[in-house]
């Protein structure tokens, strides 16, 4: 033993352990996000039990999903004012998701394992995912049309199921009308309003021209009003139709609740599902998540706008950053005179990669949003003032800020690629009489292209995960409309947008019901992590291939 | 690439000439064309390259340009001078302008209010005050200036309360004014309010008006003190306002002291009375019937000097004292150990050369102007301990000065009743080195402190811009992160560069790179939502992992080397220790968590968190420990990959030499490898530290963001970066708060740039050394 120590082997093991700890931590972290994120969509069994404190003869019936389980010391629990049987030192407690927020007010409650009796998983427990108030747990009692009971018991279940599918179609149609068609009309009305204000501000117009323009606008306004009336009527009809159907549910306290079908998103009997059905349910939930709009202060529903915003922002950013970064690198490596100045510049550019991202955010807010945006508004969007068009956080400013932030990444990667290209290739090309530009274009750049790709991919990965600067220059909690839609000019650079990373921050830390939003945060995090890992792996693979290629070419 | 280099793209589409060479003319043309393209490419790439570099430099320039205005000194210019509108034979009691500095009012001793145009002094409207002809005005008082409320004390013991309204409205032709006077409190039908009760004249008077009513405090000719309250109740049925008048006699000053000035605060609980001997007396009048003198103190330093001016600052918490010898100082009521308010001198400002004749506070900030008999005036700001400006406006002694509502101008009236309209440029008086970095005695605090509190719901709030708590928080977060990350990253780097088998290394390196790419928002969310509650529940587990993990790792190694069968040992090549230890790490971690409650029961009477509280340690759920772990996790990859590079590139002949001389592998590492690579490891730590300093999302999510001033691992902190993220969107553009946040960003920028540059230079030197070895 002494010998083993004096040779220093323990320290080798210890340093080996440091690597193991890092590896365990990083895999554990990714796994934890993956497991938590993926399990969110699986229909969990719903347990029913009686919760009876000692000394009570009558317990309370509880229905819900087991959210998580913890072991605590009995003393800590007693200090918290809970009754724990004498002589017991450890306590297991379960967090039960009871749902029914509108009935009980508390949808997540801790229950001590010791007082839970008579646990069972009834097959006819029905879970409803609702548009508002979260999930609902209970038993289906009857099915009603226009308030009249039509079916009860097993019949009700069949009738409800069938009706649910039809209602879902109608609700989808209502959503399309409200979100797309009416949104479209509103957008055009707003354009008209702004044009009207613009007319008043424009002093060069004569009164006659103004009158003519006004008349034309009034005509269009009338047409739009008419469109709106038609749409509204259709929507009201549909609303009336879906509002006719309802079911009655019995809650765990034995209360009866009538729930309209149009308030229900999904309905399922979790304890009565086959593996196949569960998988179907899983798939549908997952699809709803990635293709749906958020609800209930972002704690429910989907994250489509966030994905959309992230992707669009990153694309715009890479459109900006690629040419600038690559050209700057070519300049530094191929054209600039190599000397102390280029060295200073190179070090500075390298160091910019280490400057905190929030500093870029502050710069973006001050320079892009307030200075550039404010001036653009004063020059071109005077009719909309004082409400800002470009003078507020917007997609374009977010993209530009992140382009600046990731510029060093692209420059450094491209420079590295250029420096790896053997001198002989350049010399060969020049010796054959090609000009410098031709050498660059025909030989150097094609060879360095993968390095540039790597740089761009890495910059995209960095940009996709960056949140702090975006909080200042563009993201919002909830964007009313997507930055790319069917209204001219289609790409709305002046709109604020939603972002996956900010969504995580917002739902996890600023929402009123953190517990309800938690699974969603994990699922969102999973998507973001997956995106970034894929991007990074791609960059790594490209880089490794590149190295192999040069190894053979430089020989 | 096509769109990225349009200048070069045409070169690619040059028509080839198959077969024979083209004729000379065409070759010449072609050559010229190629030269042009070459030039074009050269200059366009050059423009782009330089442009990008300039754009990056712009960041620094812009940040600095936003901070620079704070350094600009205050200035003032006399815009206009005219004889006092409404006649110079009457004395000016009060003069005030509206917030656009367009219209102003002057109250004269001739019982008149004159509204006038501030540009040329032309009279807009004159209105006589409802004071009988034969009654003299003997005292005048102002409520807080932003209330535009004045009170006239009369020789018959009555008082008139009046408010001027500028009534601005907007039309096509611009701003319109329709100024008027309002008498907000009436006693029955009368606008004159009885204060003295027995007809004795009023010597000095003070007024405050709040939501519950109006209070008037007065010193009478015979030295008595009176407090009169008018409580207003609005009948919710008829909307009628009824006023109840209650008058109280306040105990007299000590024998021999004559009251010269009364001051009442806006809570109507504190009454301050100045006397002719340089003393200030504090009365607690929260229950006026039992009002008593709590404290008396001489507030002027020089023995021979007298108090010549006494005025409340905005918020009526602190009082500015001007002395006949020219001194200016600030006084506050500060609670002592017995929780009794004491009159306390807080700070002194630059003195005047002659007696201070008056003080005028700003409407919306804690600044004020003092003026003296020599026609000189000085701008001061209380929180920043600054005297910003000293200027002589006129040769005549100044009789009255009043600030504009937005503190961007002032009226100065001299003893010849000439009005000087002055434009004041003083946008950032709150900033001084002392206010940002030193201990400041804020209003309502019992001692000087470091506090960051930039905004509050009330207007009279004193912004507290001490960057110390934020800087300390930044350092604290980075320190704990480095404490966690450095051992893991450096040990790991040494191991994987020197001992690890190449195969394993191929697996480990990309994983660590992935770790580096993980968005910090995800680390922050896990730290805040999972790790923080987990650590709170399983505190013993966290510490037992910290203590036991190294022990068990070494123990596992010993067991492996000594007790495993030879056959198995030979099957596993060198450099796989890390892989063997993975199950050990998992097992120890798991065991510590499972055993955590038992440890709690055995050592910490069942609840470690409670135990900590009992010992006297504050515990926040989101604390520095959680941040340290999460941010440590974020900086491990940075430190790891740079130091791994440094260790890996140590020339092989050095290590082989050491081994050949009989050193054990570990001796080689500590005596040769680490020594050679230490500059590289140093630069890795610098870069890691730079990253930890600037990290935003993790600290934002994993701490409570409270700006505390301590190093307690169980309490949170607020860092510079998180503070920017939280407050920047709400800061008013161009305001002091906004610029201070820019300053914080600039500090971060410069600091990280500096750290990275040092690291880069060190690394560069190292690379040179390696190549020479």
């Amino acid at each position: 033993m002494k010998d083993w120590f004096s040779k220093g082997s323990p320290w080798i093991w210890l340093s080996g352990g440091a690597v193991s700890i890092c590896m365990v931590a990083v895999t554990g972290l990714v796994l934890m996000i993956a497991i938590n994120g993926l399990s969110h969509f699986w229909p969990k069994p719903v347990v029913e039990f009686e919760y009876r404190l000692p000394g009570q003869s009558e317990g309370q019936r509880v229905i819900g999903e087991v959210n998580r389980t913890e072991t605590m010391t009995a003393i800590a629990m007693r200090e918290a004012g809970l009754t724990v049987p004498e002589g017991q030192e450890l306590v297991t407690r379960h967090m039960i998701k009871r749902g029914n927020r509108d009935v009980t007010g508390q949808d997540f409650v801790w229950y001590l394992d010791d007082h839970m009796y008579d646990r069972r998983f009834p097959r006819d427990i029905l879970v409803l995912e609702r548009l508002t108030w979260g999930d609902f747990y209970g038993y289906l009692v009857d099915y009603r049309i226009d308030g009249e009971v039509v079916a009860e018991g097993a019949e009700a279940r069949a009738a409800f199921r069938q009706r649910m599918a039809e209602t879902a179609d109608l609700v989808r149609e209502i959503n399309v009308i409200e979100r797309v068609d009416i949104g479209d009309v509103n957008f055009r009305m707003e354009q008209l309003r702004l044009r009207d204000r613009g007319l008043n501000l424009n002093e060069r117009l004569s009164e006659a021209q103004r009158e003519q323009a006004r008349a034309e606008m009034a005509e269009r306004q009338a047409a739009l009003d008419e469109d709106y009336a038609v749409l509204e009527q259709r929507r009201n009809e549909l609303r009336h139709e879906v509002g006719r159907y309802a079911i009655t549910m019995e809650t765990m306290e034995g209360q009866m609740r009538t729930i309209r079908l149009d308030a229900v998103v999904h309905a399922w009997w979790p304890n009565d599902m086959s593996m196949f059905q569960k998988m179907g349910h899983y798939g549908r939930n997952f699809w709803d998540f990635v293709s749906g709009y958020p609800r209930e202060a972002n704690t429910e529903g989907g994250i489509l706008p966030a994905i959309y915003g992230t992707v669009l922002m990153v694309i715009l950013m890479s459109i900006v950053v690629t040419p600038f970064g690559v050209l700057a690198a070519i300049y530094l490596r191929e054209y600039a005179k190599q000397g102390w100045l280029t060295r200073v510049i190179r070090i500075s550019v390298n160091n910019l990669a280490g400057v905190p991202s929030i500093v870029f955010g502050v710069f973006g807010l001050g320079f892009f949003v307030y200075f550039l945006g404010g001036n653009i508004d004063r020059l071109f969007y005077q009719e909309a003032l004082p409400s800002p068009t470009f003078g507020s956080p917007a997609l374009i400013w977010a993209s530009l800020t992140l382009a600046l932030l990731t510029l060093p990444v692209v420059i450094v990667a491209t420079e590295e690629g250029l420096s790896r290209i053997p001198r002989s290739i350049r010399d060969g090309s020049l010796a054959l009489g090609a000009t410098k530009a031709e050498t660059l274009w025909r030989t150097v750049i094609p060879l360095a292209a993968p390095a540039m790709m790597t740089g761009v991919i890495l910059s995209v990965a960095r940009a996709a995960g960056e949140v702090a600067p975006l909080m200042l220059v563009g993201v919002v909690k909830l964007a009313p409309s997507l930055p790319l839609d069917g209204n001219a000019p289609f790409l709305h650079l002046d709109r604020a947008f939603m972002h996956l990373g900010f969504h995580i921050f917002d739902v996890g830390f600023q929402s009123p019901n953190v517990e309800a939003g938690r699974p969603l945060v994990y699922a969102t995090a999973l998507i973001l992590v997956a995106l970034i890992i894929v991007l990074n792996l791609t960059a790594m693979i490209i880089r490794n291939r590149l190295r192999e290629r040069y190894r053979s070419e430089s020989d | 690439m096509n769109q990225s280099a349009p200048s070069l793209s045409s070169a690619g589409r040059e028509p080839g000439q198959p077969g024979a060479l083209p004729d000379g003319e065409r070759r010449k043309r072609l050559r010229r064309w190629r030269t042009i393209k070459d030039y074009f490419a050269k200059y366009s790439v050059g423009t782009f390259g330089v442009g990008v570099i300039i754009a990056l430099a712009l960041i620094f320039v812009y940040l600095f340009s936003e901070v620079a205005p704070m350094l600009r000194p205050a200035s003032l210019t006399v815009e206009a001078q005219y004889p006092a509108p409404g006649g110079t034979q009457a004395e000016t009691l009060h003069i005030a302008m509206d917030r656009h500095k367009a219209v102003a009012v002057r109250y004269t001793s001739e019982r008149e209010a004159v509204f006038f145009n501030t540009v040329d002094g032309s009279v807009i409207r004159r209105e006589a005050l409802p004071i009988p002809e034969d009654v003299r005005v003997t005292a005048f008082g102002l409520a807080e200036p932003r209330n535009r409320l004045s009170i006239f004390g009369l020789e018959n013991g009555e008082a008139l309360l009046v408010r001027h309204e500028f009534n601005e409205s907007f039309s096509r032709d611009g701003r319109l004014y329709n100024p008027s006077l309002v008498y907000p409190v009436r006693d029955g039908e009368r606008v004159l309010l009885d204060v003295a009760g027995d007809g004795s004249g009023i010597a000095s008077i003070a007024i405050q008006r709040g939501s519950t009513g109006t209070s008037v405090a007065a010193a009478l000719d015979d030295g008595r003190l009176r407090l009169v309250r008018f409580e207003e109740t609005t009948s919710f049925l008829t909307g009628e306002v009824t006023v109840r008048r209650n008058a109280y006699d306040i105990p007299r000053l000590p024998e021999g002291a004559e009251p010269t000035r009364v001051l009442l605060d806006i809570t109507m609980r504190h009454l301050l009375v100045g006397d002719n001997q340089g003393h200030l007396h504090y009365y607690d009048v929260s229950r006026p019937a039992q009002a008593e003198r709590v404290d008396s103190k001489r507030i002027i330093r020089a023995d021979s000097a007298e108090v010549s001016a006494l005025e409340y600052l905005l918020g009526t918490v602190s009082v500015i004292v001007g002395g006949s010898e020219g001194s200016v100082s600030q006084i506050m009521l500060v609670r002592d150990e017995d929780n009794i308010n004491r009159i306390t001198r807080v700070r002194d400002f630059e003195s005047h050369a002659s007696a201070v004749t008056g003080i005028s506070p700003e409407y919306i900030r804690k600044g004020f102007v003092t003026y003296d008999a020599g026609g000189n005036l000085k701008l001061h700001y209380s929180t920043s301990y600054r005297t910003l400006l000293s200027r002589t406006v006129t040769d005549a002694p100044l009789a009255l000065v009043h600030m504009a509502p937005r503190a961007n101008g002032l009226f100065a009236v001299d003893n010849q009743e000439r009005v000087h309209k002055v434009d004041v440029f003083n946008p950032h008086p709150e900033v001084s080195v002392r206010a940002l970095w030193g201990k400041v005695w804020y209003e309502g605090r019992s001692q000087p402190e470091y506090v960051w509190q930039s905004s509050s719901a009330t207007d009279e709030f004193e912004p507290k811009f001490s960057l110390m708590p934020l800087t300390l928080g930044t350092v604290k977060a980075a320190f704990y992160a480095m404490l966690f990350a450095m051992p893991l990253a450096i040990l790991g780097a040494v191991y994987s560069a020197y001992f690890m088998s190449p195969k394993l290394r191929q697996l480990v390196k990309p994983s660590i790179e992935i770790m580096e790419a993980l968005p910090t928002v995800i680390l922050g969310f896990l730290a805040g939502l999972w790790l923080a509650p987990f650590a709170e529940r399983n505190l013993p587990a966290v510490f037992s992992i910290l203590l036991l993990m190294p022990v068990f790792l070494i123990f596992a190694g010993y067991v492996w080397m000594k007790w495993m069968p030879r056959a198995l040992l030979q099957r596993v090549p060198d450099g796989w220790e890390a892989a063997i230890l993975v199950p050990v790490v998992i097992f120890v971690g798991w065991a510590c968590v499972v055993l955590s409650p038992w440890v709690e029961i055995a050592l910490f009477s069942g609840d470690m968190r409670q135990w900590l509280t009992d010992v006297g340690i504050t515990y926040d759920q989101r604390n520095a420990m959680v941040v340290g772990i999460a941010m440590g996790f974020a900086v491990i990859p940075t430190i790891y990959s740079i130091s791994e590079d440094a260790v890996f590139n140590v020339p092989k002949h050095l290590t082989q030499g050491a081994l050949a001389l009989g050193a054990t592998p570990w001796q080689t590492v500590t005596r040769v490898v680490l020594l050679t690579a230490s500059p590289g490891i140093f630069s890795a730590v610098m870069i890691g530290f730079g990253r930890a300093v600037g990290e935003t999302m993790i600290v934002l999510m994993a701490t409570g963001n409270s700006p505390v001033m301590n190093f307690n691992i169980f309490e949170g902190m607020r860092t510079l970066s998180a503070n920017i993220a939280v407050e920047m969107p709400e800061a008013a553009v161009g305001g002091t708060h906004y610029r201070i946040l820019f300053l914080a960003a600039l500090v971060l920028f410069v600091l990280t740039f500096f750290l990275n540059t040092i690291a880069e230079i060190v690394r560069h030197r190292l690379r040179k050394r390696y190549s020479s070895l």
Side-chain angles (χ1 to χ4, degrees), chain A residues 326-340:
Chain A
V326 166
L327 282 182
I330 291 177
Y331 170 74
L332 274 182
R333 178 61 60 180
E334 306 286 332
Y335 282 103
K337 211 174 102 208
Q338 304 298 313
W340 67 269

PDB file of all heavy atoms in Angstrom, chain A residues 326-340:
ATOM      1  N   VAL A 326     -16.389  34.908 -43.777  1.00  0.00           N
ATOM      2  CA  VAL A 326     -15.470  34.268 -44.714  1.00  0.00           C
ATOM      3  C   VAL A 326     -14.575  35.305 -45.381  1.00  0.00           C
ATOM      4  O   VAL A 326     -13.355  35.136 -45.465  1.00  0.00           O
ATOM      5  CB  VAL A 326     -16.276  33.463 -45.761  1.00  0.00           C
ATOM      6  CG1 VAL A 326     -15.393  33.078 -46.924  1.00  0.00           C
ATOM      7  CG2 VAL A 326     -16.887  32.231 -45.124  1.00  0.00           C
ATOM      8  N   LEU A 327     -15.175  36.402 -45.825  1.00  0.00           N
ATOM      9  CA  LEU A 327     -14.362  37.419 -46.493  1.00  0.00           C
ATOM     10  C   LEU A 327     -13.352  38.032 -45.538  1.00  0.00           C
ATOM     11  O   LEU A 327     -12.210  38.287 -45.928  1.00  0.00           O
ATOM     12  CB  LEU A 327     -15.260  38.498 -47.082  1.00  0.00           C
ATOM     13  CG  LEU A 327     -15.927  38.096 -48.387  1.00  0.00           C
ATOM     14  CD1 LEU A 327     -16.748  39.243 -48.930  1.00  0.00           C
ATOM     15  CD2 LEU A 327     -14.887  37.686 -49.414  1.00  0.00           C
ATOM     16  N   ALA A 328     -13.772  38.244 -44.274  1.00  0.00           N
ATOM     17  CA  ALA A 328     -12.827  38.812 -43.321  1.00  0.00           C
ATOM     18  C   ALA A 328     -11.664  37.853 -43.115  1.00  0.00           C
ATOM     19  O   ALA A 328     -10.502  38.274 -43.059  1.00  0.00           O
ATOM     20  CB  ALA A 328     -13.527  39.095 -41.999  1.00  0.00           C
ATOM     21  N   ALA A 329     -11.969  36.557 -43.060  1.00  0.00           N
ATOM     22  CA  ALA A 329     -10.903  35.579 -42.857  1.00  0.00           C
ATOM     23  C   ALA A 329      -9.972  35.536 -44.065  1.00  0.00           C
ATOM     24  O   ALA A 329      -8.749  35.506 -43.916  1.00  0.00           O
ATOM     25  CB  ALA A 329     -11.498  34.203 -42.612  1.00  0.00           C
ATOM     26  N   ILE A 330     -10.552  35.574 -45.264  1.00  0.00           N
ATOM     27  CA  ILE A 330      -9.720  35.557 -46.479  1.00  0.00           C
ATOM     28  C   ILE A 330      -8.820  36.784 -46.505  1.00  0.00           C
ATOM     29  O   ILE A 330      -7.643  36.706 -46.808  1.00  0.00           O
ATOM     30  CB  ILE A 330     -10.611  35.507 -47.743  1.00  0.00           C
ATOM     31  CG1 ILE A 330     -11.301  34.156 -47.829  1.00  0.00           C
ATOM     32  CG2 ILE A 330      -9.783  35.758 -48.990  1.00  0.00           C
ATOM     33  CD1 ILE A 330     -12.233  34.032 -48.987  1.00  0.00           C
ATOM     34  N   TYR A 331      -9.415  37.903 -46.123  1.00  0.00           N
ATOM     35  CA  TYR A 331      -8.614  39.123 -46.103  1.00  0.00           C
ATOM     36  C   TYR A 331      -7.435  38.965 -45.141  1.00  0.00           C
ATOM     37  O   TYR A 331      -6.293  39.252 -45.485  1.00  0.00           O
ATOM     38  CB  TYR A 331      -9.487  40.311 -45.689  1.00  0.00           C
ATOM     39  CG  TYR A 331      -8.690  41.547 -45.428  1.00  0.00           C
ATOM     40  CD1 TYR A 331      -8.146  42.268 -46.481  1.00  0.00           C
ATOM     41  CD2 TYR A 331      -8.452  41.982 -44.127  1.00  0.00           C
ATOM     42  CE1 TYR A 331      -7.384  43.391 -46.247  1.00  0.00           C
ATOM     43  CE2 TYR A 331      -7.686  43.106 -43.887  1.00  0.00           C
ATOM     44  CZ  TYR A 331      -7.154  43.808 -44.948  1.00  0.00           C
ATOM     45  OH  TYR A 331      -6.402  44.910 -44.714  1.00  0.00           O
ATOM     46  N   LEU A 332      -7.752  38.509 -43.932  1.00  0.00           N
ATOM     47  CA  LEU A 332      -6.707  38.421 -42.912  1.00  0.00           C
ATOM     48  C   LEU A 332      -5.613  37.452 -43.320  1.00  0.00           C
ATOM     49  O   LEU A 332      -4.427  37.691 -43.108  1.00  0.00           O
ATOM     50  CB  LEU A 332      -7.315  37.939 -41.596  1.00  0.00           C
ATOM     51  CG  LEU A 332      -7.927  39.003 -40.694  1.00  0.00           C
ATOM     52  CD1 LEU A 332      -8.433  38.381 -39.422  1.00  0.00           C
ATOM     53  CD2 LEU A 332      -6.881  40.062 -40.366  1.00  0.00           C
ATOM     54  N   ARG A 333      -6.004  36.333 -43.943  1.00  0.00           N
ATOM     55  CA  ARG A 333      -5.036  35.272 -44.201  1.00  0.00           C
ATOM     56  C   ARG A 333      -4.322  35.459 -45.547  1.00  0.00           C
ATOM     57  O   ARG A 333      -3.146  35.223 -45.677  1.00  0.00           O
ATOM     58  CB  ARG A 333      -5.776  33.935 -44.120  1.00  0.00           C
ATOM     59  CG  ARG A 333      -4.995  32.698 -44.402  1.00  0.00           C
ATOM     60  CD  ARG A 333      -3.836  32.456 -43.459  1.00  0.00           C
ATOM     61  NE  ARG A 333      -4.186  32.315 -42.077  1.00  0.00           N
ATOM     62  CZ  ARG A 333      -3.279  32.105 -41.112  1.00  0.00           C
ATOM     63  NH1 ARG A 333      -1.991  32.025 -41.407  1.00  0.00           N
ATOM     64  NH2 ARG A 333      -3.659  31.986 -39.875  1.00  0.00           N
ATOM     65  N   GLU A 334      -5.070  35.952 -46.568  1.00  0.00           N
ATOM     66  CA  GLU A 334      -4.522  35.947 -47.916  1.00  0.00           C
ATOM     67  C   GLU A 334      -4.058  37.319 -48.390  1.00  0.00           C
ATOM     68  O   GLU A 334      -3.149  37.426 -49.189  1.00  0.00           O
ATOM     69  CB  GLU A 334      -5.552  35.418 -48.918  1.00  0.00           C
ATOM     70  CG  GLU A 334      -6.128  34.063 -48.574  1.00  0.00           C
ATOM     71  CD  GLU A 334      -5.143  32.934 -48.827  1.00  0.00           C
ATOM     72  OE1 GLU A 334      -4.286  33.104 -49.708  1.00  0.00           O
ATOM     73  OE2 GLU A 334      -5.225  31.913 -48.127  1.00  0.00           O
ATOM     74  N   TYR A 335      -4.732  38.364 -47.963  1.00  0.00           N
ATOM     75  CA  TYR A 335      -4.422  39.676 -48.531  1.00  0.00           C
ATOM     76  C   TYR A 335      -3.642  40.562 -47.584  1.00  0.00           C
ATOM     77  O   TYR A 335      -2.744  41.270 -48.013  1.00  0.00           O
ATOM     78  CB  TYR A 335      -5.717  40.382 -48.957  1.00  0.00           C
ATOM     79  CG  TYR A 335      -6.258  39.859 -50.258  1.00  0.00           C
ATOM     80  CD1 TYR A 335      -7.329  38.995 -50.282  1.00  0.00           C
ATOM     81  CD2 TYR A 335      -5.686  40.253 -51.464  1.00  0.00           C
ATOM     82  CE1 TYR A 335      -7.824  38.499 -51.470  1.00  0.00           C
ATOM     83  CE2 TYR A 335      -6.174  39.761 -52.660  1.00  0.00           C
ATOM     84  CZ  TYR A 335      -7.240  38.892 -52.665  1.00  0.00           C
ATOM     85  OH  TYR A 335      -7.715  38.419 -53.825  1.00  0.00           O
ATOM     86  N   ALA A 336      -4.041  40.552 -46.293  1.00  0.00           N
ATOM     87  CA  ALA A 336      -3.400  41.501 -45.384  1.00  0.00           C
ATOM     88  C   ALA A 336      -1.931  41.167 -45.237  1.00  0.00           C
ATOM     89  O   ALA A 336      -1.529  40.012 -45.314  1.00  0.00           O
ATOM     90  CB  ALA A 336      -4.088  41.447 -44.027  1.00  0.00           C
ATOM     91  N   LYS A 337      -1.130  42.232 -45.032  1.00  0.00           N
ATOM     92  CA  LYS A 337       0.293  42.013 -44.830  1.00  0.00           C
ATOM     93  C   LYS A 337       0.462  41.417 -43.444  1.00  0.00           C
ATOM     94  O   LYS A 337      -0.003  41.987 -42.458  1.00  0.00           O
ATOM     95  CB  LYS A 337       1.023  43.361 -44.952  1.00  0.00           C
ATOM     96  CG  LYS A 337       2.421  43.206 -45.503  1.00  0.00           C
ATOM     97  CD  LYS A 337       3.043  44.573 -45.731  1.00  0.00           C
ATOM     98  CE  LYS A 337       3.996  44.852 -44.599  1.00  0.00           C
ATOM     99  NZ  LYS A 337       4.198  46.241 -44.272  1.00  0.00           N
ATOM    100  N   GLN A 338       1.116  40.259 -43.377  1.00  0.00           N
ATOM    101  CA  GLN A 338       1.259  39.617 -42.068  1.00  0.00           C
ATOM    102  C   GLN A 338       2.278  40.390 -41.247  1.00  0.00           C
ATOM    103  O   GLN A 338       3.425  40.535 -41.626  1.00  0.00           O
ATOM    104  CB  GLN A 338       1.722  38.166 -42.233  1.00  0.00           C
ATOM    105  CG  GLN A 338       0.812  37.324 -43.114  1.00  0.00           C
ATOM    106  CD  GLN A 338      -0.589  37.191 -42.553  1.00  0.00           C
ATOM    107  OE1 GLN A 338      -0.755  36.910 -41.372  1.00  0.00           O
ATOM    108  NE2 GLN A 338      -1.594  37.404 -43.377  1.00  0.00           N
ATOM    109  N   GLY A 339       1.842  40.904 -40.135  1.00  0.00           N
ATOM    110  CA  GLY A 339       2.733  41.666 -39.283  1.00  0.00           C
ATOM    111  C   GLY A 339       2.107  41.809 -37.913  1.00  0.00           C
ATOM    112  O   GLY A 339       1.174  41.070 -37.582  1.00  0.00           O
ATOM    113  N   TRP A 340       2.602  42.760 -37.158  1.00  0.00           N
ATOM    114  CA  TRP A 340       2.051  42.874 -35.806  1.00  0.00           C
ATOM    115  C   TRP A 340       0.591  43.287 -35.836  1.00  0.00           C
ATOM    116  O   TRP A 340      -0.201  42.875 -35.007  1.00  0.00           O
ATOM    117  CB  TRP A 340       2.890  43.841 -34.960  1.00  0.00           C
ATOM    118  CG  TRP A 340       2.813  45.263 -35.441  1.00  0.00           C
ATOM    119  CD1 TRP A 340       3.629  45.860 -36.338  1.00  0.00           C
ATOM    120  CD2 TRP A 340       1.845  46.229 -35.044  1.00  0.00           C
ATOM    121  NE1 TRP A 340       3.245  47.147 -36.540  1.00  0.00           N
ATOM    122  CE2 TRP A 340       2.144  47.403 -35.754  1.00  0.00           C
ATOM    123  CE3 TRP A 340       0.766  46.232 -34.183  1.00  0.00           C
ATOM    124  CZ2 TRP A 340       1.406  48.563 -35.618  1.00  0.00           C
ATOM    125  CZ3 TRP A 340       0.016  47.381 -34.043  1.00  0.00           C
ATOM    126  CH2 TRP A 340       0.333  48.539 -34.763  1.00  0.00           C
TER     127      TRP A 340
END
